[in-house]
Amino acid sequence: MMIFNKFKLKLVTIVTLAIFLSACQFEISPWATDVNCPASVSVASNLAKLEAFEAQQGPITDYKVALLSDPQMYPGAFEDVIKRINTMDDVSFILLSGDLSESGLKAEIEWTCKAMTKSTKPIFAVIGNHDALGFGQEMWLSVFGPYDFSFTYQDSKFVAYNDNKYEFDNVPDRDWLQAEGAVNAGEVRQNTIAVSHIAPWPHDLELSQNFKDYGFDLTVHGHEHDFNFWQLSDVMLPHYITSFTKFDEYGILTVSGTDLSLENCKGSVCTPADPRTITN
Amino acid sequence: MAPFAYSSEKGVYLDVQSGSLMGLVHASAGYEYTDRHHVMGGLGYVPKLDEHREMGLASIRYRYQNPMQWSFAALDRDWTIKPFNLGIGLLYADHDELFVSLPEQYPDGYYGPTGLRAIFNYQAIVQFDASFEAYLDISVIDFGLAYYIREPDFFYENYDFLGLDGITNWGVGMRYWF
């Protein structure tokens, strides 16, 4: 019996190792850059998906946008939030405001991509400060696409930009933001909404004023791992910060024509959010 | 059949490994400082590849070698398998884009080191004479283990083999005992 048990232990060990070996990867360091993410998470792919959805939907004035951020370190919680958003028929797409990874490492980005692929709605990611660490900037460009991009949905323009000033020089690109905010002749524009990882910091009067001057109606962000919503008294442009997804938290932007309203959500419970006015 | 004893009375050996996050090649000096307990210090190299920047690596590692051994004869020689060995190490990468000390542009405590990671590993060792042994190494990076423990369901649902496929890496190596 003892011999048989020893044989079984050896057999189980060898078979387990063989199966394991066939599954796991030969990786020569944690700092590889060949991220294995599907094309479906790229900005380009999601733009096409949103365009097709809009064409199918036809013109509408009321819709919602889910605002998620900072899924780093908790890909499971992030996936759970995505699955929750999937059940919301009135949400048209998701804005993901950065920090998809903690250290800009390949494995982390891959785990976040896995969660993103579960979204049935278009999902647009902007780069966060943590994503830019190590070789993360290079991987971001190859997986998601450009740091700055914009798109129009139902006559509202969404402008995603990079503002990670410790990791990049000359950001945000204000010339580009100004151009994106401008309404072209003949264009119908209900709203212009900016999205980035970090809100104008710290309570940056100049940048907030710039956005106002450029014609923006709202900016949305992440980074703070908590809800926040403020506007400067001299500018009165609202800046909304959504919480991180670790505790099933997310924001909902409701667009009704030119009316924009925000909600802070935890699980299935959402409460209206109003900006507090900060005196300069 | 008696398992091999190591030829080295000093407990000193040279270890050369490939993969399992330790570089394309990683050479270490090892020392068995007491029965079953090993420490190693090594240097590794990653060449410039399409998917990799060129960088040097350095490591210090500890390994616990379980005394369980299975011996058998095959191909006209004796073999000993040591199936249960666990280790932990620190891996440092030398590259301009990575840091251990926070660069001056950042506020204090803004980031942890990006060029230093802890690696947990398992080894299955095959000894085929008194001086040489080869091994299979399976490793998990620090955050991989942490995330797996925190959110096992995510890995179970998205990866094979109880989700371990999503966090593990393999490599091979050899040791020569002096």
Side-chain angles (χ1 to χ4, degrees):
Chain A
M1 177 61 74
M2 200 177 196
I3 293 172
F4 182 63
N5 285 341
K6 280 188 180 173
F7 173 76
K8 268 202 307 190
L9 176 60
K10 292 177 190 177
L11 185 62
V12 165
T13 302
I14 290 167
V15 169
T16 300
L17 274 178
I19 293 173
F20 208 36
L21 191 58
S22 70
C24 68
Q25 301 171 50
F26 183 84
E27 200 71 75
I28 60 174
S29 96
W31 296 283
T33 56
D34 55 334
V35 185
N36 185 17
C37 283
S40 62
V41 302
S42 70
V43 167
S45 178
N46 283 281
L47 285 176
K49 193 173 172 182
L50 185 63
E51 213 173 291
F53 175 65
E54 187 178 14
Q56 178 200 359
Q57 217 178 15
I60 57 170
T61 54
D62 296 356
Y63 60 90
K64 294 184 179 183
V65 180
L67 308 173
L68 278 55
S69 196
D70 299 75
Q72 76 233 76
M73 300 199 292
Y74 293 89
F78 178 47
E79 186 176 282
D80 289 342
V81 173
I82 285 178
K83 288 177 178 174
R84 182 185 294 285
I85 303 295
N86 285 345
T87 67
M88 301 177 182
D89 292 338
D90 49 0
V91 170
S92 294
F93 60 93
I94 299 171
L95 294 174
L96 177 57
S97 303
D99 277 3
L100 280 61
S101 66
E102 175 69 8
S103 302
L105 288 169
K106 168 188 167 175
E108 297 182 278
I109 298 171
E110 289 178 348
W111 298 330
T112 304
C113 283
K114 277 282 186 186
M116 289 175 72
T117 60
K118 305 300 171 62
S119 177
T120 57
K121 303 172 192 292
I123 177 167
F124 300 96
V126 296
I127 190 168
N129 57 306
H130 282 267
D131 301 318
L133 291 174
F135 311 113
Q137 297 176 26
E138 169 189 332
M139 288 188 281
W140 188 277
L141 292 172
S142 72
V143 172
F144 299 106
Y147 304 132
D148 298 335
F149 62 93
S150 67
F151 60 93
T152 300
Y153 176 74
Q154 300 292 354
D155 295 332
S156 285
K157 192 166 190 181
F158 294 83
V159 180
Y161 68 98
N162 174 18
D163 65 348
N164 299 289
K165 70 176 187 182
Y166 287 139
E167 291 75 26
F168 294 87
D169 295 328
N170 303 315
V171 293
D173 184 344
R174 294 179 200 226
D175 292 338
W176 180 80
L177 287 170
Q178 184 173 20
E180 292 295 314
V183 179
N184 299 319
E187 180 186 355
V188 175
R189 178 87 62 90
Q190 299 271 31
N191 305 284
T192 308
I193 297 164
V195 55
S196 77
H197 183 55
I198 307 174
W201 49 316
H203 298 138
D204 183 340
L205 173 61
E206 185 187 348
L207 183 57
S208 187
Q209 186 67 59
N210 287 159
F211 274 118
K212 183 82 170 183
D213 294 341
Y214 300 159
F216 284 81
D217 302 295
L218 169 72
T219 72
V220 299
H221 314 276
H223 184 64
E224 296 178 15
H225 293 200
D226 201 354
F227 293 113
N228 200 353
F229 197 8
W230 55 269
Q231 57 193 6
L232 295 171
S233 58
D234 286 354
V235 181
M236 296 302 281
L237 174 70
H239 304 287
Y240 177 79
I241 295 97
T242 189
S243 187
F244 64 158
T245 52
K246 177 181 174 184
F247 298 122
D248 200 9
E249 292 178 327
Y250 55 96
I252 292 288
L253 165 66
T254 301
V255 181
S256 298
T258 56
D259 288 335
L260 304 173
S261 59
L262 279 302
E263 293 172 279
N264 299 335
C265 302
K266 183 176 175 67
S268 59
V269 177
C270 295
T271 53
D274 292 303
R276 57 192 172 83
T277 301
I278 299 169
T279 304
N280 296 98
Chain B
M1 176 181 308
F4 288 116
Y6 289 123
S7 63
S8 170
E9 292 180 359
K10 299 175 187 173
V12 175
Y13 53 90
L14 172 67
D15 179 298
V16 179
Q17 180 177 333
S18 180
S20 205
L21 304 178
M22 299 303 290
L24 185 63
V25 62
H26 199 105
S28 305
Y31 176 56
E32 185 181 22
Y33 66 92
T34 185
D35 187 31
R36 309 179 200 174
H37 300 280
H38 300 244
V39 290
M40 296 200 299
L43 296 173
Y45 175 69
V46 178
K48 185 177 185 318
L49 301 166
D50 286 345
E51 72 278 8
H52 225 299
R53 308 287 182 88
E54 182 182 26
M55 62 180 64
L57 304 174
S59 70
I60 52 171
R61 290 183 279 177
Y62 161 81
R63 184 177 74 257
Y64 169 74
Q65 205 155 297
N66 187 280
M68 181 179 287
Q69 302 184 103
W70 304 328
S71 299
F72 61 96
L75 303 173
D76 294 327
R77 65 186 313 143
D78 296 323
W79 305 78
T80 297
I81 295 179
K82 302 166 192 176
F84 302 118
N85 309 283
L86 297 174
I88 181 171
L90 279 178
L91 181 66
Y92 162 76
D94 180 30
H95 192 281
D96 291 344
E97 299 287 341
L98 303 172
F99 59 81
V100 174
S101 301
L102 194 64
E104 286 178 1
Q105 76 229 48
Y106 297 114
D108 288 346
Y110 205 69
Y111 294 122
T114 59
L116 189 67
R117 302 242 62 110
I119 310 285
F120 301 90
N121 71 303
Y122 159 86
Q123 282 186 1
I125 299 169
V126 176
Q127 187 178 4
F128 44 90
D129 74 28
S131 298
F132 281 100
E133 58 189 19
Y135 61 84
L136 166 70
D137 189 286
I138 296 173
S139 63
V140 182
I141 199 169
D142 46 21
F143 61 80
L145 186 61
Y147 295 9
Y148 184 86
I149 291 170
R150 279 205 295 247
E151 298 186 317
D153 288 345
F154 170 78
F155 292 94
Y156 295 163
E157 289 168 15
N158 287 292
Y159 294 96
D160 296 329
F161 207 76
L162 297 177
L164 294 172
D165 176 35
I167 63 169
T168 52
N169 304 274
W170 69 272
V172 293
M174 289 192 67
R175 291 191 190 101
Y176 173 75
W177 289 77
F178 292 104

